Amino acid sequence: MLRYRSAEAELPGEPVELAAGLAESGLFDRYVVYEREGDFWFAGGALAEVVVTRSEIRCSRLGEEDAAPLEPHPLGQVRERLARVDVEDWRAYGWMAFELSHLHAGRPDRAGDGELLHLLVPHSEVRLRQDGTALVRSADQETLEVLLALLRNPVVRPAPVPRPIEVTDTEGRYAELVARAIEEIRTTGLQKVILSRTVPVPFGVDFPGTYVYGRTHNSPARSFLLNLGGRRVVGFSPETVAEVGADGEVVTQPLAGTRARGLGEQEDERLRAELLSDPKEISEHVLSVKLAEEELATVCRPGTVSVRDLMSIRRRGSVQHLGSSVHGRLADQANAWDVLRAVFPAVTASGIPKAPAFDCIARLEEGRRGIYSGAVLMAGSDGGLDAALVLRSLFEEDGRTWLRAGAGILAGSTPERELEETCEKLRSVAPYVVPAPGQEPACA
């Protein structure tokens, strides 16, 4: 069994800046940065990788590769493959696409081509703690020493010069989609659906720079920066899809109901009061919490599922949400991957009931969502798992770069308000996009 070599280090700067520095050091061709509860985890390179498509699961472990047909519980297969990784105290990092939900629903033909999940067990891992220390682990001593040197002597970044992105819906198509969804909700069994829209970014982006600059202007539940599977993403997630502790404690934190913030103390307070009294927003939130309870009940011990902190205000960058925490204790025969399967995709990014919402999304949105409204996650050999909902994010794939945001549509929605909500959410990222070198604003 491979054992990581490890060392402790003092941090000479802010963890978010050091994590970004490791990402752009060029030491690894793939990486994931994941912020959880004040600590930043950097995972670079791969001792093992697991990839899921609509028809198979592929795994590479320490140079050995295998593939197998996909079964009805793909995440169960992921868990089995990771359990075979011959690495002591491993952790896996990576992403899940929204379309993985079609596999759960037994409709692989709708999942599209390409990867639906991509995880790595890193060659090297750095935990940058909020107390000013770091734990560095690597598969070899030479890389361990290089990482320690990078932490001791970080590259000083120039002051970022962002190039804000205009987020208005210039074509006016989104309001039309919302109107169609409202009509469908009023005439079918669909209760809620989240429809999203994309905003193209017409220049190359400095992803690590955007991560550092955007993080200073956001207050996320989780944040992440990744370059994995031909995709680059930077995000400031407002909520978690699933948190499963090694002790069996389970949490999901649905957020539904939105108003803008950052408009001044008086206006923010007015909008907060409006949010707490708006029938449409309250209805949307209660429906989401109820489904989250029902989903957790399928994988938790009877009588342990409860709602805490009901409809509290969660401040997330440019917006404020109604948020609740749903807790439970893992059932004896269940595991963290069962929990993720039960709650994925997040009700706050799909709809109620989920299967009709998937169909509505597929009809009204253009193309696949991919990682948007999926999850970025970390999981450990101790049975723990933490998955962030991929919202408030910037994406790059196949030469395209874009932002994306959505809104929850109910029978009482209005197209104009839902469009404005997408703008409010996009402003958590759009003002903080840092161009790649050579593509700075002309006035820089």
Side-chain angles (χ1 to χ4, degrees):
M1 175 176 288
L2 187 148
R3 290 177 171 81
Y4 285 112
R5 299 171 184 268
S6 64
E8 296 270 348
E10 298 291 325
L11 299 184
E14 291 297 321
V16 63
E17 296 176 356
L18 295 170
L22 293 173
E24 64 185 351
S25 68
L27 190 58
F28 302 102
D29 63 353
R30 68 202 86 173
Y31 60 79
V32 177
V33 174
Y34 192 80
E35 178 194 3
R36 184 182 73 182
E37 298 174 347
D39 287 359
F40 290 78
W41 305 73
F42 172 83
L47 296 175
E49 289 185 272
V50 178
V51 173
V52 171
T53 67
R54 67 179 179 180
S55 60
E56 68 175 4
I57 180 169
R58 302 193 301 270
C59 184
S60 63
R61 296 184 299 271
L62 304 176
E64 298 181 0
E65 299 186 7
D66 67 76
L70 216 57
E71 297 173 0
H73 188 354
L75 293 181
Q77 289 179 275
V78 170
R79 176 176 178 268
E80 292 170 2
R81 295 310 189 278
L82 289 173
R84 300 177 195 172
V85 172
D86 200 24
V87 177
E88 186 178 51
D89 190 24
W90 57 262
R91 274 182 287 270
Y93 302 78
W95 56 263
M96 296 166 54
F98 175 81
E99 284 74 21
L100 189 73
S101 58
H102 292 301
L103 303 185
H104 295 162
R107 302 182 295 186
D109 56 307
R110 301 193 181 187
D113 299 323
E115 296 180 357
L116 300 173
L117 173 147
H118 195 138
L119 301 177
L120 62 81
V121 174
H123 174 279
S124 300
E125 179 188 75
V126 181
R127 181 178 183 179
L128 302 156
R129 305 187 185 103
Q130 57 186 321
D131 67 0
T133 65
L135 173 62
V136 185
R137 305 198 305 171
S138 183
D140 64 74
Q141 187 65 33
E142 181 180 359
T143 306
L144 182 70
E145 296 295 338
V146 171
L147 288 167
L148 291 169
L150 287 171
L151 291 177
R152 284 193 300 267
N153 302 289
V155 175
V156 178
R157 283 182 150 276
V161 181
R163 188 171 171 182
I165 306 300
E166 176 56 57
V167 299
T168 55
D169 182 17
T170 56
E171 297 180 358
R173 185 170 180 271
Y174 184 75
E176 297 176 8
L177 297 184
V178 172
R180 289 170 62 185
I182 292 170
E183 179 62 23
E184 187 166 334
I185 290 169
R186 290 173 176 171
T187 57
T188 70
L190 183 62
Q191 296 177 276
K192 171 186 174 179
V193 65
I194 287 77
L195 291 182
S196 66
R197 66 183 182 94
T198 60
V199 175
V201 176
F203 53 83
V205 170
D206 175 353
F207 273 73
T210 298
Y211 182 55
V212 174
Y213 193 57
R215 180 61 184 84
T216 64
H217 292 84
N218 274 279
S219 48
R222 303 288 187 270
S223 73
F224 43 82
L225 169 69
L226 65 85
N227 184 347
L228 181 63
R231 297 154 177 83
R232 292 204 293 173
V233 184
V234 56
F236 312 102
S237 174
E239 65 184 278
T240 56
V241 182
E243 303 169 48
V244 185
D247 61 355
E249 177 73 13
V250 179
V251 183
T252 185
Q253 300 197 45
L255 271 60
T258 305
R259 286 294 186 274
R261 67 178 295 267
L263 306 176
E265 184 177 345
Q266 187 172 354
E267 180 64 6
D268 284 0
E269 182 58 30
R270 186 190 70 80
L271 291 171
R272 174 183 177 277
E274 182 180 287
L275 176 58
L276 286 166
S277 60
D278 187 297
K280 181 266 180 182
E281 305 288 10
I282 293 172
S283 175
E284 179 183 356
H285 188 81
V286 170
L287 286 171
S288 300
V289 171
K290 183 175 183 294
L291 182 55
E293 285 185 279
E294 294 170 354
E295 291 174 335
L296 279 197
T298 66
V299 290
C300 289
R301 296 176 188 173
T304 66
V305 176
S306 64
V307 180
R308 306 177 192 174
D309 202 20
L310 178 65
M311 287 202 304
S312 65
I313 294 294
R314 312 285 176 91
R315 295 171 177 83
R316 302 288 188 250
S318 61
V319 292
Q320 48 191 325
H321 295 288
L322 295 177
S324 298
S325 299
V326 185
H327 292 246
R329 295 292 299 179
L330 195 63
D332 291 341
Q333 302 305 316
N335 58 68
W337 298 94
D338 294 325
V339 174
L340 188 54
R341 182 190 186 192
V343 299
F344 185 85
V347 60
T348 51
S350 54
I352 304 170
K354 283 187 175 179
F358 299 159
D359 292 339
C360 183
I361 290 167
R363 284 193 302 273
L364 298 182
E365 292 187 356
E366 292 184 359
R368 300 172 70 248
R369 285 186 169 187
I371 304 177
Y372 169 76
S373 70
V376 172
L377 64 97
M378 61 183 293
S381 57
D382 62 359
L385 181 146
D386 196 273
L389 177 56
V390 181
L391 303 177
R392 317 294 190 269
S393 298
L394 175 74
F395 309 88
E396 181 186 88
E397 183 179 350
D398 295 332
R400 294 175 53 240
T401 307
W402 68 96
L403 301 166
R404 191 163 189 164
I409 316 302
L410 275 71
S413 294
T414 62
E416 297 76 16
R417 170 57 203 153
E418 304 305 342
L419 172 59
E420 179 56 28
E421 183 173 315
T422 66
C423 293
E424 292 167 356
K425 293 172 177 176
L426 287 163
R427 293 185 187 114
S428 285
V429 183
Y432 314 117
V433 178
V434 178
Q439 303 197 45
E440 298 85 352
C443 61

